[in-house]
Amino acid sequence: MALNAPVLVLKDSLKRESGAKVHQANIQAAKAVADIIRTTLGPRAMLKMILDAAGGIIVTNDGNAILREIDIAHPAAKSMIELSRTQDEEVGDGTTSVIVLAGEMLHVAQVFIDKSYHPTVICRAYTKALDDAIAVLDKIAMPVDVNDRASMLGLVKSSIGTKFTGQFGDLIADLAIDATTTAGIDLGQGMREVDIKKYIKVEKVPGGQLEDSRVLKGVMINKDVVAPGKMRRKIVNPRIILLDSPIEYKKGENQTNAELMKEEDWQVLLEMEEEYIKNLCAQILKFKPDLVITEKGLSDLAIHYLSKAGVSAIRRLRKTDNNRIAKACGAVIVNRPEELQESDVGTGAGLFEVKKIGDEFFAFIVDCKDPKACTVLLRGASKDVLNEVERNLQDAMSVARNILKNPKLLPGGGATELTVSATLKQKSSSVEGVEKWPYEAAALAFEAIPRTLAQNCGLNVIRTMTQLQGKHANGENAWVGLDGRSGDIVDMKERKVWDSYSVKAQTFKTAIEAACMLLRIDDIVSGIKKKQAPGASAPKQPQIETEGDADNEQMIPE
């Protein structure tokens, strides 16, 4: 027995040491990721210029867009980058905040790791802090009327005020609110669902001014009619038929052989094909459409029959665009022309028109009565500007969607985080046991957001933070925060600097849960096989150790 005790002690201390090193490496990697995008938080944020894999450049201060392009080998850093993507997909905003907060949570945990605190203890304290933080959010949240356009505009504007397009005033916020209210679907009980991906298309056309951007009450597609000279390019109140089948003669599914015995048979075959197309067109023309749109091909003969009947046609349209047109004008996409019914014809559009913008033709199906889909037409000086405006618009639409789903507001400008921090500091005195210190550290970590805002404004950070902490010390001034433009400490209600409840709650949950996950990693094992050099000997077969062999190299002699 005398031999076993020191062996166990040695093994345990070695494990602890290696675990501490892994924690240290993970925390450093997470901090490195947070430091990359720390300067992009707030209205006075800096922009990053990124060279993407294709050789193009991206100029942005969107946390997710920056991290998406960064190539980092460390697995913990990759995990942090994944946070930003999750946040973007879930609520569409707060991608920078979540990384900064998660990095700070890990940074404050470093002290406890060095003091040999067990990671589980730290995680327990963090989870408790998260529950209390969400309770604080519920307490200070303020309901908002989604039908009050002024307050909606203020909220969306303050959420994207930190972005590049913040300098253009209400423009992007207006576009976002118009688009989300147009494409929203009532679910009952005052709830609305907005599917931004499916039913809101952003069409970027270089040229013109940003102020020329607008939300169309309908759909715009990058297509022209198939026979411009013969078909009408402007139709008022069009009857629209949507197909996803070809209007051309069928080809055999596999290799089809036809054996013709006489020369006349060839003529018969051609006539049969022509007859087939004529019947198809007759079935379509029976419903007196003004516009026929198909996702597949349209043969020359079909074009002839349609143009002769005064019908305009568009072919090879994307499935997604076809779905949007169906939603906008009330049509039903039909698979087989012979199954067409009067109810499938879309009559909701007020105008079909083909216009030339720049050097391309665009078809507009607009002035729809009750469109459940829309297109946002963005104009701008260059592709880079348009891409950044689109990123900002996506964030703005996500914020508008979040408010429609959960109409609650929180103060912006770091006020929410300061209130949470002050409340948790007070509560930490009632936390018993060893968890008290990590809990208090988590409370301090929330101050990372207002501190970063102060840094990016070019203020004296220590003086500003002391003033803010003083205002929040007793938890009364929950709405006092930092105006990121002027650097003043003001009431956020007066300045109308707000945040969406959904975004804040998701930021806190994602950041703390990710920090806990990274803290509980005590080893990084590579699962990648190294390539063997040519001519090298075959790898040895793994040997199974017996109980007697185990840990021989670590044994200490008596």
Side-chain angles (χ1 to χ4, degrees), residues 100-358:
V100 171
L101 190 55
E104 192 68 18
M105 286 286 170
L106 288 165
H107 175 56
V108 296
Q110 175 99 50
V111 182
F112 304 109
I113 296 290
D114 293 345
K115 286 181 181 172
S116 299
Y117 271 58
H118 198 281
T120 312
V121 175
I122 303 170
C123 292
R124 257 204 314 268
Y126 276 12
T127 310
K128 200 176 283 183
L130 173 60
D131 293 340
D132 291 343
I134 298 295
V136 174
L137 293 188
D138 290 330
K139 188 177 161 191
I140 64 169
M142 185 179 89
V144 62
D145 178 13
V146 293
N147 298 318
D148 177 10
R149 189 172 174 100
S151 58
M152 283 282 284
L153 195 66
L155 204 150
V156 176
K157 223 172 104 181
S158 66
S159 296
I160 61 155
T162 61
K163 311 281 183 195
F164 166 75
T165 49
Q167 59 191 302
F168 298 107
D170 300 353
L171 177 72
I172 296 296
D174 265 327
L175 292 176
I177 292 170
D178 285 344
T180 44
T181 46
T182 303
I185 298 164
D186 278 316
L187 300 175
Q189 298 173 338
M191 289 182 71
R192 281 175 77 80
E193 179 59 56
V194 183
D195 195 330
I196 292 172
K197 232 174 191 170
K198 258 189 181 175
Y199 299 127
I200 300 176
K201 172 80 182 287
V202 178
E203 199 74 62
K204 299 171 292 190
V205 184
Q209 292 177 306
L210 202 58
E211 285 75 18
D212 299 337
S213 304
R214 63 187 196 277
V215 175
L216 304 170
K217 284 236 174 286
V219 181
M220 160 186 168
I221 46 176
N222 191 353
K223 288 275 179 189
D224 192 2
V225 291
V226 285
K230 298 176 184 174
M231 291 176 172
R232 289 179 292 168
R233 276 179 159 177
K234 186 174 181 180
I235 306 168
V236 179
N237 296 330
R239 287 170 59 81
I240 301 172
I241 286 180
L242 302 178
L243 303 169
D244 72 346
S245 61
I247 311 177
E248 52 191 0
Y249 26 82
K250 267 190 180 168
K251 298 167 183 67
E253 285 292 324
N254 295 319
Q255 288 179 345
T256 311
N257 293 325
E259 197 171 319
L260 305 177
M261 305 301 288
K262 301 196 292 290
E263 196 179 327
E264 295 83 58
D265 291 351
W266 177 245
Q267 197 60 38
V268 171
L269 201 64
L270 291 177
E271 280 168 11
M272 281 165 69
E273 286 180 351
E274 284 186 18
E275 195 62 34
Y276 173 72
I277 289 172
K278 195 175 183 180
N279 288 339
L280 272 186
C281 291
Q283 280 154 353
I284 293 166
L285 294 170
K286 201 163 57 179
F287 293 93
K288 298 188 170 57
D290 296 305
L291 177 64
V292 174
I293 299 175
T294 177
E295 292 170 31
K296 306 286 194 316
L298 197 61
S299 72
D300 291 346
L301 194 61
I303 293 169
H304 164 71
Y305 286 126
L306 292 175
S307 63
K308 201 172 161 189
V311 177
S312 297
I314 292 173
R315 65 180 163 198
R316 298 205 175 87
L317 190 71
R318 283 200 193 110
K319 183 84 179 165
T320 49
D321 285 335
N322 214 10
N323 287 336
R324 272 189 282 272
I325 294 171
K327 278 276 180 189
C329 69
V332 177
I333 300 171
V334 180
N335 289 64
R336 299 161 66 94
E338 51 265 34
E339 289 174 5
L340 263 169
Q341 296 172 350
E342 181 58 40
S343 57
D344 299 334
V345 181
T347 54
L351 176 69
F352 163 75
E353 190 174 11
V354 177
K355 284 185 188 169
K356 191 176 186 187
I357 304 177

Side-chain angles (χ1 to χ4, degrees), residues 386-447:
L386 279 174
N387 288 337
E388 180 63 359
V389 171
E390 186 193 10
R391 278 190 286 272
N392 296 172
L393 180 65
Q394 290 293 350
D395 286 356
M397 288 194 296
S398 300
V399 170
R401 180 194 63 192
N402 293 334
I403 304 160
L404 289 171
K405 281 178 90 172
N406 190 353
K408 283 200 279 186
L409 295 184
L410 288 167
T416 304
E417 286 81 5
L418 285 160
T419 306
V420 167
S421 179
T423 313
L424 294 188
K425 277 179 200 166
Q426 285 174 349
K427 280 196 177 181
S428 67
S429 55
S430 62
V431 177
E432 292 175 0
V434 79
E435 289 172 23
K436 174 185 167 73
W437 312 113
Y439 184 95
E440 204 170 295
L444 284 169
F446 280 104
E447 290 178 359

